[in-house]
Structures are given as C-alpha cells and as structure tokens.
Amino acid sequence: MKRSFALMAVTAVASGVLSGCVSMAPHYQRPAPAVPAVWPQMDDAAATEASAIADIGWQRFLQDARLRDLVALALQQNRDLRVATLNIERARAQYRIQRADLLPSVSASAEEVAQKTPATVSQSGVETISRQYSVDLGVTAWELDLFGRVRSLKNQALQSYLAQTETQRSAQISLIAEVAGAWLQLGADQTRLQLAADTYASREKTYALTQRRHALGVASALDLAQARSSVESARADVASYRSQVAQDRNALQLLAGAPVPEALLPDASVETLAVLDELPAGVSSSVLQQRPDVLAAEHQLIAANANIGAARAAFFPRISLTASAGTASTTLSGLFDSGSGAWSFVPQISVPIFAGGANQANLDVAHTEREITLAQYDKTLQTAFKEVADALALRATVDEQLAARQALVDATTQSYALSEARYRKGVDSYLNLLDAQRTLYSARQSLISAQLARQTNLVTVYKVLGGGWNAADAAAAGPSSNR
C-alpha cells in the first residue's frame, strides 16, 4: 500500500507541474466597438454624463407598488425565466465535467481471475484450475496537458457558462420590461373601454333626444338614422375593448406564470406615472458593452478563442498515463500478505504524423467560427445601438406629442360643447354634432395612446440601456407592503 500512496503523490506532483503548462489559445482583446461613441440625438458633452440608468434597480424604477409586486411574482413563476435559470445549471455542470479532465481520475478495483487448464494441454497431464486475486488503486489514461488542449476546452466551457448567466440576466430584464409594458397596456385598454362606455352612454342620450325631436317633426329621419348609427358604433367599440382587456389580462397572466390577483391589476387610467419619470439624459454608447446580451456575445467570442487553442494543441504530441498499485495473490487469504505488492506504469505518447489534413481542417473551422462569432458580437452591439437610438429618438419628441394631443382634446371638447348647444337649439343639423362627437372621441383615443407611448418609452429606455439588475434585490423581492 505504500506504493499506492507513492503513486498518488507522483500524480499530485504532476498535476502541480502541469498547472503552469502553456496555452495555445491566441491572446484575447476586446474588439473595438462597431458603433459610434454617442447617440445621434446627443453631442459629446451630453455623452460624458454617467450612465446611471444601469445602476437603477427595478424596485426603484417601478413606482407603483402593485406593479412591483406583479414583477416579483413573475420573477418567481415565469417559465421562460425558469428555463433560462436551468440552462445556467446545465452549463455549470458541463463546465465542472470539463474542468475535471485537468485532474487524474483515481479509481479502486478488485478482481478475481479464474482459469481452467484441461489435462490435454497441461504440462503435468492433470486438469488444473488456477485463481488470482488482486486489489488495485490506479489512474487510467490521464492526459498530461502539456500544450493546454484540456485547459482550452475547460476555458471554453467556462465562457459558455458565463454566457448563459448573462443570457439569464437579459431574460430577466426583458421579463421586467414585458410585465411593465403589459401592465401599462392593460391600464390603457381599460381607459379606452371606460371612454367607449362613456361615449356609448352619451350617444344614447343624444339618440333619445333626437327621437323626441323627430317625433315633434324638428329632426329629420336622416338625423335619426345617423344618431342610431353613432350609438351602434359606440356599442361595437365597447364590445371590442372588453375583448381586448380580457386578452390583456391573459397576456399578463402568461408573463406572471400564475393567476394575477385583482389587487395587482392597474386602474382604468394611464395618466398616473407607474415608472420612474426622470431618467439620465446623457449616456455614452460604451454602456452597451455592459448590456447582458452584449456580454453574452462577448463570452461566446472568448469561448471561440479558446477553441482555437484546443485545435492548435492537436498538432502536438499527446501524452497520457495509466498506472496502478495494489496487491495480488493466488489465494484470497494471502491478498494482503508480505510480498504480495504489485504495480504497473504505462505511459503512452501519441504523435500526430498523418491525419489526412483533419487537424488543419479543425483549426480552420475554429478560426472561421471565431470570425462568425465576432460578426455576431458586432451585430449584437449594433442592434443594441439601434434600439437605444430609436428609444431616445421617441423620448425626445414624446412630451411634445403628448402636449399636442392634450391641446387637441381641449380644443375638440370646446368644439363639441358648442356643436351640441347649437344642435339642441335647432341651429345646426345632427351631422355637425356627429362630426364633433367623432372628432372628440378620436382625439381622446389619441391622447390615451400618447400617454401609453410615453410610459412605454420610459420602460423601453430602461430596458435597452441594460436597466439595473441586482441579484440580492431580486432574490429578496417579495410583495410590497406600502400599497
């Protein structure tokens, strides 16, 4: 057994020596960003401001307590996020498997070999049965990683694991934004439904008035028919928005991954700010390199770099060791007697001489895959730049659009009031009143859309700039008590 310990000691020393083995992987340098340094909507001075938006946690960004509770529920129950988390666990396990190849695998074995020799071939002319027992502790085919092949594969698995981690972060940020967007959409559609219901009730009153005027001979049959058509149009809108609200609730429940309590649903209004209104005005495009999807693409690029190292190492000799030490005896009782020690040591070296160009082809594949991954990294960065540029472009004009929509509602409200007064006094026909009704209804619908666009844009800006995510906050997130 002393030899067993000696074997394990030699193995440990070899592991220490190999920890300083050379790597054939090329030196990695982060590629220069394939995007401008600043957004089209701002100058260099604005871009020098700190990109504080990435440090704003979602609990602080979401101002409505009901929305915060709903996001916390989704982070716990959403199935897509659960799959992303399980992908991390799988990648972590694969990394551990690959890392284990750096160390020798030591195993113990015990065996009995029984052999019968017939009398016809026995030297003594007598049939004999021989037995041999052995107990061994050994290492089988452990590769000495002199040229970094195994280490490169380990690094590739590590980067794949880190890429999965960033992908999960990206999925979480997207989920938060999707839940907030769906919640705001539900609130806007509830507002539209309330507007349609109020309009329906108002037009029914106008229709009743037109019926009385028609009975008195003041209003024409055309006025009565037009009033009836406006009532039916409003009734159709009410039915349509009821359906839309139901679909919005279904979408919200799918994102949450569980039934959504009524207490967490929004009111029939989008005027109250549900998210943080004041976001940093100026950020450099370098913040994109910290977006989870961009980081995931960079980890994949580093993994492709490591694959080149493994492909290069295939051109060099591969050395593996198989060794064992233990005891052997022809009788089970004598297995551990003095003088029964046995050992074997089988070093093996494999030198590539001719492989039909396979090694060179594998290296070419690794180089090509790195170029593909580099192009994908650049495309991810450029896509992120476009998303931010689009969101900032809308943000620059959304307040102006909202003010214009509000002014239009004020003007059409006044116009409708005058038209209704003139109709009641018999000065104008119902056609003028109907036009005023439709214009006011359309203006109010547009105002709701503008209010929703402003809120949604804030969520989008927060998301595309890699809106702050804190693991500790997310783990501790629970239902809010300050409702």
Side-chain angles (χ1 to χ4, degrees), residues 243-446:
S243 174
Q244 188 60 51
V245 166
Q247 292 178 32
D248 291 343
R249 289 193 176 193
N250 293 338
L252 204 56
Q253 180 168 310
L254 177 62
L255 289 172
V260 179
E262 290 288 333
L264 301 186
L265 296 177
D267 298 328
S269 174
V270 290
E271 296 180 12
T272 303
L273 288 175
V275 297
L276 193 64
D277 188 31
E278 295 299 327
L279 294 177
V283 290
S284 168
S285 65
S286 62
V287 72
L288 294 180
Q289 292 179 321
Q290 300 305 314
R291 266 184 37 157
D293 58 337
V294 176
L295 287 175
E298 184 175 8
H299 284 303
Q300 294 292 1
L301 181 58
I302 300 174
N305 209 58
N307 275 338
I308 294 177
R312 285 178 174 175
F315 286 89
F316 295 87
R318 185 180 301 182
I319 301 174
S320 62
L321 298 180
T322 297
S324 67
T327 65
S329 175
T330 56
T331 62
L332 186 61
S333 59
L335 196 58
F336 297 100
D337 289 347
S338 177
S340 62
W343 59 270
S344 67
F345 180 66
V346 186
Q348 183 179 15
I349 181 170
S350 174
V351 181
I353 297 177
F354 177 75
N359 289 338
Q360 183 60 51
N362 285 330
L363 181 59
D364 293 342
V365 168
H367 278 290
T368 304
E369 287 180 343
R370 184 190 180 280
E371 293 304 313
I372 293 173
T373 309
L374 176 59
Q376 291 172 338
Y377 171 79
D378 288 340
K379 179 63 180 298
T380 302
L381 197 59
Q382 291 171 351
T383 301
F385 184 88
K386 176 187 178 298
E387 291 175 351
V388 176
D390 289 346
L392 292 179
L394 178 58
R395 184 184 177 194
T397 61
V398 69
D399 286 334
E400 183 179 352
Q401 295 180 39
L402 184 59
R405 297 297 181 186
Q406 184 62 62
L408 179 61
V409 168
D410 295 340
T412 53
T413 299
Q414 184 178 6
S415 176
Y416 171 73
L418 293 173
S419 296
E420 185 178 32
R422 289 172 64 85
Y423 173 71
R424 289 179 180 275
K425 292 179 180 181
V427 178
D428 277 346
S429 67
Y430 183 74
L431 181 59
N432 291 333
L433 177 61
L434 181 60
D435 286 341
Q437 283 180 338
R438 290 172 176 171
T439 302
L440 177 59
Y441 183 66
S442 176
R444 286 177 174 172
Q445 291 280 11
S446 298

Side-chain angles (χ1 to χ4, degrees), residues 14-202:
S15 300
V17 171
L18 292 175
S19 63
C21 65
V22 66
S23 173
M24 306 299 294
H27 178 68
Y28 174 78
Q29 287 184 331
R30 173 179 283 183
V35 295
V38 296
W39 317 110
Q41 292 77 24
M42 64 181 64
D43 54 21
D44 293 336
T48 58
E49 297 185 17
S51 54
I53 191 171
D55 301 323
I56 299 175
W58 65 264
Q59 294 90 339
R60 185 160 68 92
F61 174 70
L62 304 178
Q63 297 291 287
D64 194 292
R66 296 166 299 179
L67 180 54
R68 287 198 298 271
D69 288 351
L70 182 58
V71 167
L73 176 64
L75 292 177
Q76 295 173 359
Q77 300 293 335
N78 182 269
R79 298 309 189 268
D80 289 335
L81 189 60
R82 185 174 298 178
V83 170
T85 303
L86 292 175
N87 283 336
I88 291 179
E89 297 300 322
R90 179 177 62 183
R92 181 187 292 123
Q94 290 172 338
Y95 165 63
R96 292 202 306 266
I97 293 172
Q98 195 64 57
R99 184 180 60 181
D101 288 342
L102 286 172
L103 301 174
S105 178
V106 181
S107 61
S109 63
E111 68 175 354
E112 173 192 2
V113 178
Q115 182 177 359
K116 174 184 176 182
T117 303
T120 54
V121 298
S122 173
Q123 292 182 351
S124 62
V126 179
E127 178 184 286
T128 60
I129 296 178
S130 62
R131 299 179 186 275
Q132 181 176 341
Y133 302 89
S134 64
V135 175
D136 296 302
L137 182 68
V139 175
T140 303
W142 173 46
E143 180 178 346
L144 302 182
D145 194 29
L146 297 178
F147 301 99
R149 188 189 73 87
V150 178
R151 190 171 299 277
S152 292
L153 293 176
K154 185 265 294 183
N155 291 338
Q156 186 273 337
L158 173 61
Q159 295 302 322
S160 296
Y161 159 65
L162 295 176
Q164 286 293 340
T165 301
E166 296 299 337
T167 299
Q168 192 268 353
R169 279 189 60 206
S170 181
Q172 174 159 317
I173 293 173
S174 296
L175 176 61
I176 293 171
E178 287 178 9
V179 170
W183 192 85
L184 291 169
Q185 183 67 56
L186 174 58
D189 286 338
Q190 289 179 157
T191 305
R192 293 187 177 106
L193 174 59
Q194 186 62 54
L195 174 61
D198 293 343
T199 302
Y200 176 55
S202 175

Side-chain angles (χ1 to χ4, degrees), residues 209-224 423:
L209 174 62
T210 305
Q211 283 181 314
R212 291 194 296 270
R213 290 168 60 86
H214 180 263
L216 296 173
V218 178
S220 66
L222 178 60
D223 289 342
L224 185 62
Y423 173 71

